[in-house]
Amino acid sequence: IPLSSGMILLTWQKIAPTALLYQISPSLNMEILIMLAILSTMVGGWGGLNQTQMRKILAYSSIAHMGWTVIIAMINPNLMILSLMIYIMTTLALFMTLNLSSTTKIKSISNLWNKSTPMTMIVFLTLLSLGGLPPLTGFMPKWLILQELIINNNPTMAIVMALSALLSLFFYMRIIYVSSLTMFPTNNNLKLHWFFTQMKTTNLIPILTTISSMLLPLSPILITMT
């Protein structure tokens, strides 16, 4: 499917089921939620390890993130909404960047260095934020969810969820590692023609990238809101 359609499937389509979960959260079964969350994070993590298509990787990443969203639905529904909002903003920034650069495969990201280094850095930042690497914004919901699980006497689930997050972070890091090693040092300015030509972009990409990577210092404010 086109990247724009994939962006809608992974963002807008999650709002309705999440709103339903929010409304029925007091009557949910905690054991079923924990089982579904663990299955989602494990399937999303393992499934993305053997993929080379960015759309498939982001699809498995979406499954893993829904596991984090579901497990906190009964304990703190407001935190579930916060997690979904951060995921949607980060995913929008990533998909819009990939769509502008027509990047659909991992090997295409390595060629993106020559087209636009700023866009490559945006892809890297958003991928690391999706993986929950501190000090980026994506670390905040995972940190708060693990904290809530521990407070509610579920340290085992917190450990399992933290370990499962390493699977997603691994294939994000693998994308960055492979892409960053394909830009060899050179004195030829033709390989850096992005510096001399202006690519088409939108104002939303810098805004969404800033939100998806620099909101961690606002954690105390967001904690009081949830």
Side-chain angles (χ1 to χ4, degrees):
I1 62 174
L3 287 170
S4 56
S5 301
M7 179 177 63
I8 295 174
L9 286 174
L10 297 186
T11 55
W12 178 260
Q13 295 295 326
K14 292 184 182 301
I15 296 177
T18 306
L20 182 61
L21 281 175
Y22 184 86
Q23 293 178 355
I24 65 174
S25 57
S27 59
L28 294 175
N29 188 297
M30 190 63 184
E31 287 75 16
I32 295 178
L33 283 180
I34 290 175
M35 181 184 67
L36 291 176
I38 293 176
L39 283 176
S40 295
T41 53
M42 296 301 294
V43 170
W46 285 109
L49 291 176
N50 197 32
Q51 303 298 329
T52 58
Q53 295 278 346
M54 288 300 298
R55 284 167 292 194
K56 293 181 180 180
I57 290 175
L58 293 175
Y60 280 110
S61 171
S62 175
I63 296 173
H65 276 86
M66 282 307 296
W68 285 89
T69 304
V70 166
I71 199 170
I72 202 64
M74 190 173 179
I75 300 174
N76 192 338
N78 292 330
L79 185 54
M80 175 183 68
I81 300 298
L82 175 64
S83 176
L84 179 66
M85 290 175 58
I86 292 176
Y87 167 77
I88 287 177
M89 288 185 290
T90 307
T91 305
L92 284 175
L94 181 57
F95 263 99
M96 292 175 69
T97 305
L98 294 177
N99 191 29
L100 280 177
S101 58
S102 301
T103 303
T104 57
K105 298 180 180 179
I106 294 179
K107 67 178 181 180
S108 300
I109 299 180
S110 60
N111 297 327
L112 191 59
W113 282 108
N114 298 332
K115 295 181 180 179
S116 176
T117 298
M119 282 194 173
T120 309
M121 298 307 298
I122 291 175
V123 172
F124 288 176
L125 279 175
T126 50
L127 284 175
L128 291 177
S129 184
L130 282 174
L133 189 72
L136 301 176
T137 306
F139 172 69
M140 179 171 52
K142 289 183 172 59
W143 170 36
L144 296 178
I145 290 172
L146 293 177
Q147 184 178 4
E148 287 289 333
L149 290 175
I150 294 173
I151 291 174
N152 287 271
N153 297 321
N154 285 316
T156 304
M157 294 301 103
I159 294 173
V160 173
M161 294 296 290
L163 292 176
S164 64
L166 294 177
L167 294 172
S168 300
L169 185 59
F170 173 77
F171 61 72
Y172 292 139
M173 293 296 296
R174 184 183 62 181
I175 295 173
I176 297 173
Y177 180 76
V178 172
S179 303
S180 60
L181 290 183
T182 54
M183 182 66 178
F184 299 100
T186 179
N187 292 324
N188 186 3
N189 290 331
L190 293 178
K191 293 187 176 182
L192 299 176
H193 64 85
W194 63 267
F195 188 79
F196 305 99
T197 59
Q198 186 176 4
M199 289 190 66
K200 293 182 179 180
T201 185
T202 62
N203 294 329
L204 280 177
I205 293 180
I207 296 173
L208 291 174
T209 303
T210 303
I211 293 174
S212 63
S213 58
M214 299 183 183
L215 284 189
L216 189 61
L218 298 180
S219 298
I221 299 176
L222 296 175
I223 289 174
T224 58
M225 293 174 59
T226 57

